[in-house]
Coordinates of all heavy atoms in Angstrom, one line a residue:
Chain A
R295 N -14.4 64.5 4.0 CA -15.3 63.6 3.3 C -16.6 64.2 2.8 O -17.1 64.0 1.9 CB -15.7 62.4 4.3 CG -14.6 61.5 4.6 CD -14.8 60.6 5.8 NE -15.7 59.5 5.6 CZ -15.4 58.3 5.1 NH1 -14.2 58.0 4.9 NH2 -16.4 57.4 5.0
R306 N -20.9 64.6 -11.0 CA -21.7 63.6 -11.5 C -23.0 64.1 -12.2 O -23.4 63.7 -13.3 CB -22.1 62.4 -10.5 CG -21.0 61.5 -10.2 CD -21.5 60.3 -9.4 NE -20.3 59.5 -9.1 CZ -20.4 58.5 -8.4 NH1 -21.5 58.1 -7.8 NH2 -19.3 57.7 -8.2
R314 N -27.4 63.2 -20.9 CA -28.9 63.2 -21.3 C -29.2 64.1 -22.4 O -30.4 64.3 -22.7 CB -29.7 63.4 -20.0 CG -29.7 62.2 -19.1 CD -30.5 62.4 -17.9 NE -30.6 61.2 -17.1 CZ -31.8 60.5 -16.8 NH1 -32.9 61.0 -17.2 NH2 -31.8 59.4 -16.3
R331 N -19.0 75.6 -10.8 CA -19.2 75.1 -9.4 C -18.4 73.9 -9.2 O -17.8 73.9 -8.0 CB -20.7 74.6 -9.2 CG -21.6 75.8 -9.3 CD -23.0 75.3 -8.9 NE -24.0 76.4 -9.0 CZ -25.4 76.2 -8.7 NH1 -25.7 75.0 -8.2 NH2 -26.2 77.1 -8.8
N383 N -27.1 85.8 -16.9 CA -28.0 86.7 -17.7 C -28.8 85.9 -18.8 O -29.9 86.1 -19.0 CB -27.2 87.8 -18.4 CG -26.8 88.9 -17.4 OD1 -27.3 89.0 -16.2 ND2 -25.8 89.7 -17.9
E387 N -32.8 85.5 -18.9 CA -33.6 86.1 -19.9 C -34.1 85.1 -20.8 O -35.2 85.3 -21.3 CB -32.7 87.1 -20.5 CG -32.3 88.3 -19.7 CD -31.3 89.3 -20.2 OE1 -31.1 89.3 -21.4 OE2 -30.9 90.1 -19.5
L390 N -35.7 81.7 -18.1 CA -36.7 82.1 -17.0 C -37.5 83.2 -17.6 O -38.5 83.6 -16.9 CB -36.0 82.6 -15.8 CG -35.2 81.4 -15.1 CD1 -34.5 81.9 -13.8 CD2 -36.1 80.3 -14.7
E395 N -31.7 93.2 -19.5 CA -30.9 94.2 -18.9 C -31.1 95.5 -19.7 O -31.4 95.5 -20.9 CB -29.4 93.9 -19.1 CG -28.9 92.7 -18.2 CD -29.1 93.1 -16.7 OE1 -28.4 93.9 -16.3 OE2 -30.0 92.4 -16.1
Chain B
F3 N -32.3 62.8 -23.6 CA -33.1 61.9 -22.8 C -34.5 62.2 -22.9 O -34.9 63.5 -22.7 CB -32.6 61.9 -21.4 CG -33.5 61.1 -20.5 CD1 -33.3 59.7 -20.3 CD2 -34.5 61.6 -19.8 CE1 -34.2 58.9 -19.6 CE2 -35.4 61.0 -19.0 CZ -35.2 59.6 -18.9
R248 N -41.8 88.6 -11.6 CA -42.2 89.2 -12.9 C -43.3 90.2 -12.7 O -43.5 91.1 -13.6 CB -42.7 88.1 -14.0 CG -41.6 87.4 -14.5 CD -42.0 87.0 -16.0 NE -41.3 85.9 -16.4 CZ -41.9 84.7 -16.5 NH1 -43.2 84.6 -16.1 NH2 -41.2 83.7 -16.9
K264 N -32.2 88.3 -10.8 CA -32.0 87.5 -12.1 C -30.9 86.4 -11.8 O -31.2 85.2 -12.0 CB -31.7 88.3 -13.3 CG -33.0 89.0 -13.8 CD -32.4 90.2 -14.8 CE -32.0 89.6 -16.0 NZ -31.7 90.7 -17.1
H265 N -29.9 86.8 -11.2 CA -28.7 86.0 -11.0 C -29.0 84.9 -10.0 O -28.7 83.8 -10.0 CB -27.5 86.8 -10.7 CG -26.8 87.4 -11.9 ND1 -25.6 87.8 -11.9 CD2 -27.4 87.5 -13.1 CE1 -25.3 88.4 -13.1 NE2 -26.4 88.1 -13.9
D273 N -29.4 74.7 -9.6 CA -29.7 73.8 -8.5 C -30.8 72.8 -8.8 O -30.7 71.6 -8.7 CB -30.1 74.5 -7.2 CG -29.1 75.4 -6.7 OD1 -27.9 75.3 -7.0 OD2 -29.4 76.3 -5.8
Q283 N -31.5 60.0 -12.5 CA -30.5 59.1 -12.7 C -30.5 58.0 -11.8 O -30.4 56.7 -12.0 CB -29.2 59.8 -12.7 CG -28.0 59.1 -13.3 CD -28.0 59.1 -14.8 OE1 -28.7 60.0 -15.4 NE2 -27.4 58.2 -15.5
N297 N -25.4 56.6 -5.3 CA -26.1 57.6 -6.1 C -27.5 57.9 -5.5 O -28.1 59.0 -5.7 CB -26.3 57.2 -7.6 CG -24.9 57.4 -8.3 OD1 -24.0 58.1 -7.9 ND2 -24.8 56.7 -9.4
A349 N -25.8 65.8 5.4 CA -24.5 65.5 5.9 C -24.4 64.0 6.1 O -23.4 63.4 5.7 CB -24.1 66.2 7.2
E353 N -21.8 61.5 3.8 CA -21.0 60.5 4.5 C -21.3 59.0 4.0 O -20.3 58.3 3.7 CB -21.2 60.5 6.0 CG -20.4 59.5 6.8 CD -18.9 59.4 6.6 OE1 -18.3 60.5 6.4 OE2 -18.3 58.3 6.6

Side-chain angles (χ1 to χ4, degrees):
Chain A
R295 292 165 72 93
R306 286 192 177 178
R314 288 179 170 239
R331 292 185 183 185
N383 286 345
E387 294 173 11
L390 300 176
E395 290 296 292
Chain B
F3 171 82
R248 281 217 209 98
K264 288 163 71 174
H265 282 195
D273 295 341
Q283 199 75 21
N297 285 341
E353 176 56 32

